[in-house]
Amino acid sequence: MKSLEELRARLDVLDRQLLELVAERQSISTEIAAVKRATGQSTRDFGREREVLLKARRDAEALGVAPALAESILQSLIRGSLTTQEQARVAAQGRGSGRSALVIGGRGKMGRWMADFLASQGFRITIADPAGEIPGYEWVADWHVSRLEDDLIVVATPLKVAGDVLTQLAARRPRGVVFDIGSLKTPLRAGLAALHDAGVSVTSVHPMFGPDTALLSGRHVIFIDLGDADALEEARSLFASTMADLVVMGLDEHDRLIAFVLGLSHALNIAFFTALAESGEAAPRLARMSSTTFDAQLDVATRVAAENPDLYYEIQSLNAYGEESLRALSAAVERLHRAVREHDAPRFTEMMRRGQEYLLVRQAAREASG
């Protein structure tokens, strides 16, 4: 019988070989990306992905490996390949070749994401942020000292100051396209209007993902139509080579929807982990408990709890339509409480039925749009 050390050493060798194969697969993915660009094919092929996953499950079963494990591994590898191909396509697009971009608030998480994203397209990036410089980029502490001659100006500051930045930019009438990336738009209405009235090419963008996102497939980027078709198209073109869903809508429509998409989901998770934190003696005991639903909800709540509370407070408090989603959540919890308190099984069942019906309709709509 081999010793434990020998077996572990063999595993180390296999792990290295697996990573070498992954690296080779990534390299092939880069070549595939080049072929797809040359032939005008889209980056993602859902039919091909399905074939790969089904084959992986068949092969795994023949090898005595759990098909679900094989599918999970292949899904991760496909995601890695798609990320490689998407990044290669964005870089090849070269939208920024010979052009410059000023990112105001570029030391923030999403500001840094935008700076890196634009740099990958060939833009020469200047970061304007008093928090300090970022290696590899030009930097100024105060954007006011800039001559504002950049082709793009991205406002990536916190919402509480973004409106003032937009208004001050309007007074100086920069020549390039200006857009913010705020999670809400109604608080920025005055600044965006000032830019438009000053004749500045302006639009507004909301990347619906976090700064750790690498692959944009399945993600949404929202563009606000402020009446400047050229600015809107310029902003859209920056994401045209990605696999993100690009959605255009009005300013008020955006914030009404965000009240539920972000406001409601954030509030639900904040209420969830607050209830757990204030459960007293149950807290340490719950740490040793587990269920499929609880673990899934806890995973989401943990990510929410780790986010910036100032940003999340802005999303709740600055949205002109935010009260609607909070009232809906409060009313739903009260109905649930009443159904349980009054032993009203039909009311409880009806809530479950309506929820199931809504979610099925939503899923069908997503599949149809996909």
Side-chain angles (χ1 to χ4, degrees):
M1 182 179 295
K2 294 182 179 179
S3 68
L4 180 60
E5 289 72 19
E6 290 175 318
L7 292 171
R8 284 176 171 170
R10 177 57 181 156
L11 282 180
D12 289 343
V13 172
L14 289 174
D15 289 344
R16 172 70 183 190
Q17 291 174 345
L18 284 172
L19 291 176
E20 289 173 349
L21 288 172
V22 170
E24 182 179 355
R25 196 179 197 279
Q26 295 288 77
S27 177
I28 294 174
S29 294
T30 302
E31 296 181 38
I32 290 175
V35 172
K36 286 182 176 179
R37 287 197 306 274
T39 56
Q41 298 181 56
S42 62
T43 301
R44 191 157 199 177
D45 184 340
F46 289 98
R48 170 60 179 165
E49 288 179 32
R50 183 175 183 275
E51 292 174 2
V52 170
L53 294 177
L54 289 176
K55 183 177 185 302
R57 292 185 68 92
R58 291 194 301 268
D59 290 345
E61 194 167 12
L63 293 168
V65 176
L69 173 61
E71 182 173 347
S72 176
I73 292 172
L74 263 295
Q75 283 178 335
S76 295
L77 291 174
I78 289 172
R79 190 170 184 84
S81 295
L82 288 173
T83 301
T84 299
Q85 292 182 42
E86 183 178 65
Q87 291 172 346
R89 184 182 288 269
V90 169
Q93 179 191 21
R95 291 287 305 176
S97 298
R99 306 169 73 201
S100 63
L102 173 67
V103 182
I104 301 174
R107 273 295 297 268
K109 291 182 179 180
M110 281 306 296
R112 176 64 185 269
W113 188 94
M114 280 299 307
D116 292 342
F117 179 68
L118 294 174
S120 73
Q121 299 187 40
F123 282 91
R124 186 179 72 256
I125 305 297
T126 299
I127 300 293
D129 197 314
E133 59 184 310
I134 295 177
Y137 296 136
E138 298 178 28
W139 170 76
V140 294
D142 185 353
W143 69 267
H144 293 88
V145 305
S146 172
R147 299 176 63 182
L148 301 185
E149 294 181 347
D150 300 273
D151 299 283
L152 283 181
I153 298 178
V154 181
V155 178
T157 63
L159 279 171
K160 58 187 176 183
V161 299
D164 290 337
V165 172
L166 293 170
T167 300
Q168 293 167 26
L169 283 170
R172 294 183 57 185
R173 300 186 179 185
R175 69 172 183 84
V177 174
V178 177
F179 64 83
D180 71 278
I181 57 170
S183 300
L184 297 175
K185 303 305 179 184
T186 49
L188 309 180
R189 188 193 302 273
L192 293 170
L195 283 162
H196 184 271
D197 293 344
V200 177
S201 188
V202 59
T203 189
S204 187
V205 180
H206 183 185
M208 295 285 290
F209 48 82
D212 296 329
T213 301
L215 177 65
L216 297 189
S217 178
R219 307 292 186 176
H220 289 77
V221 183
I222 299 177
F223 303 86
I224 307 301
D225 187 354
L226 299 175
D228 188 329
D230 291 338
L232 181 63
E233 181 54 34
E234 176 65 22
R236 279 173 51 88
S237 71
L238 298 173
F239 294 87
S241 58
T242 73
M243 291 181 283
D245 291 324
L246 311 184
V247 182
V248 178
M249 63 179 61
L251 186 147
D252 288 289
E253 180 187 9
H254 172 273
D255 280 15
R256 281 197 300 269
L257 294 175
I258 291 301
F260 286 90
V261 174
L262 295 185
L264 177 61
S265 58
H266 293 174
L268 177 64
N269 281 282
I270 291 169
F272 176 77
F273 63 63
T274 298
L276 289 179
E278 296 177 353
S279 61
E281 292 184 1
R285 296 178 183 178
L286 285 171
R288 298 192 295 272
M289 299 295 290
S290 176
S291 78
T292 303
T293 304
F294 181 76
D295 289 350
Q297 182 62 56
L298 193 64
D299 182 53
V300 177
T302 299
R303 294 198 297 272
V304 170
E307 292 292 343
N308 184 339
D310 293 331
L311 172 61
Y312 274 42
Y313 178 71
E314 289 179 343
I315 291 173
Q316 295 292 341
S317 64
L318 298 182
N319 191 344
Y321 303 94
E323 277 290 321
E324 182 180 350
S325 63
L326 291 178
R327 283 196 300 268
L329 175 60
S330 179
V333 171
E334 177 54 34
R335 285 201 303 274
L336 176 61
H337 189 193
R338 188 183 309 120
V340 175
R341 184 177 63 243
E342 298 176 1
H343 304 287
D344 190 342
R347 177 182 293 171
F348 186 95
T349 300
E350 177 61 13
M351 292 181 69
M352 295 283 289
R353 186 198 65 77
R354 289 188 65 187
Q356 183 183 50
E357 183 179 89
Y358 168 79
L359 294 172
L360 286 173
V361 170
R362 181 181 184 277
Q363 180 62 30
R366 286 179 63 85
E367 290 175 355
S369 64

